[in-house]
Amino acid sequence: MEHDALDAGEARYELVISVDARRSGQYDDAEKPRMRERIYRVLETAFAQAGVGRDTVHMEDRGDGVLVSVPGRIAVTRLLGLWMVEVHENLREENRSLLVPLGLRVAMHVGPVRHDSRGISGRAVDLTCRLADSAVARQLLDRERADLVLAVSDSLYVDVVSAGGKFIEPARFSRARLALKEGEVSAWFHLPGRPAPDIGPIAPEEPGAPAGGPPAAPVGGPEAALAAMDAALAARAAAAAGRRVDDSDRDGDDEDGPAQYMAQGDLSVHRNNVYQQPVHIGRVTGDTPRKD
C-alpha cells in the first residue's frame, strides 16, 4: 500500500481484519511453517477470487496469524461477503488433506488506523485482535467443530452487516457480551454456512483447553495421538479413583449400587461362585503352558 503521504500521527478509517490459527501452540517447529503457508494461501487466494488486489491491502505477519488493513476505497461488503465465502471454501479445501484440520478465527472492525514503517496501530487494531482472541470465538470454533468463526464489532454489524447484501445474512449472526481488557463490549459471531450460533454459556478461558467434548486431535501424527490417548486414559483413571469401591464383602445387589471398575487390560470379576472342578480363568499368552 502507498502510505508515503501519511504521517505516523495521521489516521484514516480502514477495515481491520485479524486472522488467528486455532491452537497454534500445539504445532511443532517442523509443522508451523506449513501451517503458515496454508493460512497465507487461503487468504491471498481469496483476495484474488474477490477481485481485491494484493497490493491494495496491508498485511502483517503475526507468527500464528495475519493482521490486515483494507483502505476505504474497497467496499467493506466485499470483504464481509464474497471474500469471507472464498476464505471459507479455500480453508475447507485445504483441510480435506489434513489429519488435523486448520481452524481460523477471523475478526473485523472499522476504525481509525495509523501506519508507520513497522505496521499499523490504534484502538481499532487492538479491538479487532481482542475479538479474534476472545473466549467466545475460541470456544465456538471448538464446540461447533467448525473450520472458521467470524467475529465482527457491534458498530460494524449495525452499520454494515444488519443491512445485508450479497453473501451477507444478518440473521446468521449471534450477539454476545465480551469482557475485554478495555471493558465490556458487544460483538457478533458467525459460522459460515451455518445458522446463527447458539452462544450459550461460555466458560472462563483456559489457555490450550478446548470448550468441552473430546480432547482436540493432537498435531504430530500417530505417535502424538497415542500419547494423547494415554494421557486421557490416565486422567480419567485419576478422576475415577475417588469413586471406586471395594466390593470384596459385597454382593451385586448392594443398596449403594453395583461396584465400579476401571481396567486398561483384561478384567475378570468372580463372586459367590462354586466350581465343581478345576477351572482356568484368564488367557494364556506367549509360550507359557496352560495351568488349570
Side-chain angles (χ1 to χ4, degrees), residues 14-21 43 66-70 76 79-80 83-84 87 104-110 124-134 137-138 148-154 156 173 178 180 187-190:
E14 296 185 337
L15 173 67
V16 183
I17 305 173
S18 177
V19 181
D20 284 339
L43 301 182
V66 182
L67 182 62
V68 182
S69 66
V70 183
V76 174
L79 280 302
L80 274 167
W83 184 74
M84 280 304 307
V87 167
L104 295 180
R105 302 186 308 275
V106 180
M108 295 187 183
H109 173 57
V110 172
V125 176
D126 296 340
L127 175 58
T128 309
C129 294
R130 298 272 195 269
L131 297 182
D133 195 45
S134 66
R138 290 175 176 274
L148 175 69
V149 61
L150 169 65
V152 301
S153 64
D154 190 55
L156 183 56
F173 286 73
L178 307 179
L180 305 181
W188 295 78
F189 295 84
H190 171 57

Side-chain angles (χ1 to χ4, degrees), residues 139-289:
Q139 295 182 35
L140 269 180
L141 197 62
D142 287 333
R143 189 176 69 201
E144 301 300 326
R145 300 182 181 276
D147 298 300
L148 175 69
V149 61
L150 169 65
V152 301
S153 64
D154 190 55
S155 60
L156 183 56
Y157 180 88
V158 171
D159 294 342
V160 181
V161 176
S162 63
K166 190 173 183 180
F167 303 118
I168 302 175
E169 300 180 72
R172 295 196 174 203
F173 286 73
S174 293
R175 183 175 179 268
R177 291 290 292 173
L178 307 179
L180 305 181
K181 292 181 179 179
E182 297 81 2
E184 282 199 357
V185 301
S186 291
W188 295 78
F189 295 84
H190 171 57
L191 299 172
R194 304 191 188 190
D198 178 11
I199 301 297
I202 297 296
E205 186 173 350
E206 297 180 10
V219 178
E223 293 81 6
L226 289 174
M229 186 180 299
D230 289 341
L233 287 172
R236 291 174 186 171
R243 296 185 287 107
R244 294 179 183 171
V245 295
D246 181 1
D247 69 329
S248 58
D249 296 323
R250 295 185 179 184
D251 55 28
D253 56 356
D254 190 283
E255 63 179 3
D256 291 333
Q260 299 183 29
Y261 304 89
M262 179 170 291
Q264 297 185 18
D266 295 335
L267 173 67
S268 295
V269 178
H270 303 266
R271 294 181 299 184
N272 304 324
N273 295 319
V274 177
Y275 301 104
Q276 302 299 327
Q277 61 181 5
V279 298
H280 169 76
I281 298 174
R283 62 178 180 175
V284 178
T285 61
D287 298 327
T288 304

Side-chain angles (χ1 to χ4, degrees), residues 38-118:
R38 295 182 189 109
I39 294 176
Y40 276 96
R41 185 160 56 240
V42 165
L43 301 182
E44 292 178 338
T45 301
F47 279 127
Q49 292 167 328
V52 178
R54 172 62 183 85
D55 58 346
T56 64
V57 300
H58 169 81
M59 296 182 69
E60 286 183 33
D61 183 73
R62 289 301 179 97
D64 59 350
V66 182
L67 182 62
V68 182
S69 66
V70 183
R73 65 178 180 273
I74 299 176
V76 174
T77 52
R78 182 176 299 189
L79 280 302
L80 274 167
L82 180 57
W83 184 74
M84 280 304 307
V85 168
E86 298 297 352
V87 167
H88 185 221
E89 289 303 314
N90 294 341
L91 181 58
R92 291 178 62 195
E93 184 65 29
E94 289 283 340
N95 283 339
R96 286 193 178 98
S97 61
L98 298 179
L99 178 63
V100 179
L102 173 63
L104 295 180
R105 302 186 308 275
V106 180
M108 295 187 183
H109 173 57
V110 172
V113 177
R114 288 175 169 79
H115 292 258
D116 58 33
S117 60
R118 295 176 177 82

